[in-house]
Amino acid sequence: MSTTPLHFVPPSDFRARAKSALDDPKLRKSFRGAMDFLQTKRSAQFPDGDELEQLRDLGEAIRQHALANLPDLLVQLEAKLQAAGVQVHWAATAQEANEIILRIAQARQAKRIIKGKSMASEEIELNHYLEERGVACLESDMGEYIVQMAGEKPSHIVMPAIHKTRGEIGELFEKNIPDSPYTEDVDTLIQTGRRALRQAFVDADIGLSGVNFAAADTGTLWLVENEGNGRLSTTVPDTHIAIMGLEKVVAKLEHIVPLSNLLTRSATGQAITTYFNLISGPRRPGELDGPREVHLVLLDNGRTQAYADEQLRATLQCIRCGACMNHCPVYSRIGGHAYGTTYPGPIGAIISPHLLGLETTADLTTASTLCGACGEVCPVRIPIPQLLVRLRTEANRNPEEQVEHPLRGQGAKFSRGERLVWRFWSGAFARPAVYRLFRWAATRLRALTPSQQLGWTKYRAPLKPAPRSLADLMRERERR
């Protein structure tokens, strides 16, 4: 099975891929149906509006408290984990994280890694990196297993294979899993996948997982899942490696309970998820199971850029539920692959610029109608529309302008010509006499309006001044 990201495409090609996705009626129908289904399930989980708002208040407060104390909490978490026998590694970049995991694998002469679901490992392209160095990574989450089999990347952070039909999955299983006749029966497909993966847990040298939350006061890694693959990945192999973004830490173990409540209800419309795995260290003397060593890789990879800016820091409140995607009119029409990033949709548009820089992600910030739906459903109240506007501003800011917290790629969309046009307009609008002259000229010379007006006329009729201005019409009316 290939782990090469065959369908990986740079986010800078977003516009072309978005157009291609819009021209695909099958994909649009598939995503529209899936998003409607998820929206309905989420709404059913929050019948009491007051309870929902109270939970959102609590979730927001917990996340903001954690971010306000992030450096201290990370130090506390590291100390607690080390005291429990967990080896903690710090990775400033995706490259460093990959190198750390490779060193651990090589030290144990590991050739096979079984993975629970981890978006952080997708973020650093771990499968591809290790495959090139002789270490095979097999995804054990059913959705991830399917997209890995197809040589694709996840198109949703919670449901990676949501873009696949039952027929497409049946064809993949028939082709890649021995003795698997074609079927579209969902139960049969799931059982087939589980049987194929079962022995892989036993044969793996290392188990790797993500982390949903980490409690600094107890040194506990909290992993949420539905299929049991996370539990098997973290307990059967002798070595367990967990990887998490450094923003996932919270102050107290009890803080995770309301966050998990919001996470599962917002993500899949479940009242509660099937498994909560609480990992507090390697197997202790007398215990019958569990890994003999546990590692945690704390990943920065651009997160400290968001952390440094007081407004953009809210990006790190995210608990990765995907509710903003499910309610986004753009994501629901083009799907996740069009974005070309690990995190698609509204949350991807505000976090990817920190991970990858605005040079390649500036167009993602424009993939929003600013309708506000993403902000309204966010369980921890991330002001996504405001952050999108801020990132658009940074993308169009003069790259030479000195600011307190410059972003990587500042000024990626900066245009001196556009800047001059806006300066002229603001200057004319601020001076009544100049504005009246401009208005008089625009109405009399409207025939000279160009028929092609940059991007506007790609999809719309050209803008043309009216023959009579509103001010002129009002003046005539008053004279009557």
Side-chain angles (χ1 to χ4, degrees):
M1 188 181 299
S2 172
T3 56
T4 303
L6 298 178
H7 290 208
F8 178 77
V9 283
S12 53
D13 293 340
F14 170 72
R15 288 179 180 273
R17 286 195 308 281
K19 185 176 186 311
S20 175
L22 288 171
D23 291 338
D24 185 346
K26 181 180 172 185
L27 182 142
R28 292 182 61 181
K29 181 180 179 183
S30 174
F31 267 91
R32 181 71 270 166
M35 297 304 103
D36 287 347
F37 174 70
L38 288 169
Q39 288 180 26
T40 302
K41 287 192 70 177
R42 177 187 177 277
S43 297
Q45 285 298 327
F46 295 110
D48 186 335
D50 292 338
E51 184 218 1
L52 170 59
E53 295 310 311
Q54 289 171 8
L55 265 175
R56 292 180 75 202
D57 288 343
L58 182 56
E60 179 188 25
I62 291 171
R63 293 301 296 133
Q64 289 185 346
H65 175 268
L67 292 174
N69 299 278
L70 187 61
D72 292 339
L73 292 181
L74 287 170
V75 171
Q76 185 183 1
L77 175 68
E78 180 184 35
K80 285 288 183 180
L81 287 170
Q82 289 176 336
V86 177
Q87 299 177 52
V88 180
H89 312 265
W90 297 78
T93 64
Q95 178 70 19
E96 282 188 20
N98 281 326
E99 291 172 354
I100 289 167
I101 294 171
L102 178 63
R103 281 200 299 272
I104 296 171
Q106 290 175 333
R108 283 137 197 88
Q109 298 181 324
K111 295 296 180 185
R112 294 177 298 272
I113 293 180
I114 189 80
K115 289 178 61 188
K117 189 170 182 300
S118 163
M119 292 307 292
S121 69
E122 291 287 345
E123 178 185 323
I124 63 173
E125 295 281 346
L126 178 67
N127 291 8
H128 185 48
Y129 180 88
L130 292 180
E131 180 80 6
E132 289 184 335
R133 291 156 182 80
V135 182
C137 286
L138 180 64
E139 300 287 349
S140 62
D141 172 89
M142 191 58 63
E144 292 269 1
Y145 180 58
I146 291 167
V147 295
Q148 184 183 28
M149 194 179 292
E152 298 177 358
K153 294 171 71 69
S155 60
H156 192 286
I157 62 174
V158 178
M159 290 149 286
I162 198 169
H163 59 292
K164 291 288 185 191
T165 65
R166 287 182 293 179
E168 290 170 336
I169 296 170
E171 291 174 0
L172 281 171
F173 279 22
E174 181 186 27
K175 179 180 177 182
N176 292 282
I177 301 177
D179 303 322
S180 301
Y182 176 82
T183 179
E184 294 185 10
D185 181 74
V186 174
D187 290 338
T188 303
L189 289 170
I190 290 175
Q191 291 304 321
T192 300
R194 285 180 176 171
R195 278 197 301 274
L197 288 168
R198 193 170 300 277
Q199 188 61 36
F201 291 108
V202 179
D203 294 339
D205 303 304
I206 292 175
L208 190 141
S209 73
V211 177
N212 289 98
F213 305 106
D217 64 336
T218 60
T220 304
L221 308 180
W222 185 289
L223 180 60
V224 178
E225 48 133 352
N226 272 318
E227 302 170 10
N229 63 80
R231 174 157 299 183
L232 289 169
S233 298
T234 58
T235 56
V236 176
D238 273 345
T239 301
H240 169 216
I241 303 173
I243 177 170
M244 71 173 235
L246 48 76
E247 79 279 17
K248 295 291 187 72
V249 65
V250 296
K252 298 181 179 180
L253 186 63
E254 64 192 61
H255 289 175
I256 299 178
V257 177
L259 292 179
S260 292
N261 188 342
L262 284 165
L263 172 61
T264 58
R265 295 164 81 181
S266 300
T268 55
Q270 293 173 272
I272 188 171
T273 193
T274 309
Y275 293 93
F276 289 113
N277 301 292
L278 280 67
I279 300 161
S280 55
R283 181 191 304 189
R284 295 174 178 79
E287 293 182 341
L288 297 179
D289 56 15
R292 299 183 189 280
E293 59 179 289
V294 177
H295 299 259
L296 173 66
V297 179
L298 282 165
L299 179 65
D300 180 348
N301 198 30
R303 288 164 172 80
T304 47
Q305 174 178 276
Y307 177 79
D309 187 286
E310 190 172 348
Q311 183 187 22
L312 298 175
R313 186 180 299 172
T315 307
L316 302 180
Q317 290 173 209
C318 180
I319 59 173
R320 304 290 192 271
C321 68
C324 59
M325 300 178 196
N326 304 342
H327 292 75
C328 175
V330 177
Y331 176 88
S332 64
R333 283 162 178 78
I334 64 176
H337 285 164
Y339 292 81
T341 51
T342 302
Y343 307 100
I347 185 61
I350 62 171
I351 197 171
S352 298
H354 302 293
L355 308 184
L356 303 171
L358 276 166
E359 300 95 334
T360 57
T361 60
D363 283 342
L364 302 184
T365 64
T366 66
S368 171
T369 63
L370 298 182
C371 64
C374 51
E376 288 183 10
V377 299
C378 177
V380 289
R381 296 188 191 283
I382 300 175
I384 296 176
Q386 289 91 327
L387 299 185
L388 286 170
V389 172
R390 168 68 190 284
L391 290 167
R392 292 180 188 183
T393 302
E394 298 303 329
N396 287 281
R397 188 188 295 280
N398 188 332
E400 298 172 358
E401 184 178 339
Q402 298 296 314
V403 294
E404 186 175 2
H405 299 293
L407 302 189
R408 185 153 58 105
Q410 171 185 310
K413 291 290 182 180
F414 175 72
S415 165
R416 294 190 184 280
E418 188 175 325
R419 175 65 60 92
L420 286 174
V421 170
W422 281 111
R423 280 187 177 176
F424 167 77
W425 173 252
S426 61
F429 198 74
R431 296 170 176 80
V434 175
Y435 182 73
R436 283 195 294 272
L437 177 62
F438 175 76
R439 189 182 67 208
W440 180 89
T443 54
R444 269 66 176 179
L445 302 176
R446 59 191 296 271
L448 301 178
T449 304
S451 58
Q452 299 297 319
Q453 299 171 359
L454 302 179
W456 178 264
T457 45
K458 282 185 179 179
Y459 309 105
R460 307 173 183 87
L463 296 170
K464 203 169 188 177
R468 307 290 302 279
S469 70
L470 178 62
D472 291 339
L473 293 173
M474 290 299 295
R475 195 176 300 113
E476 284 183 9
R477 182 173 180 175
E478 290 169 356
R479 288 173 184 164
R480 292 174 188 165

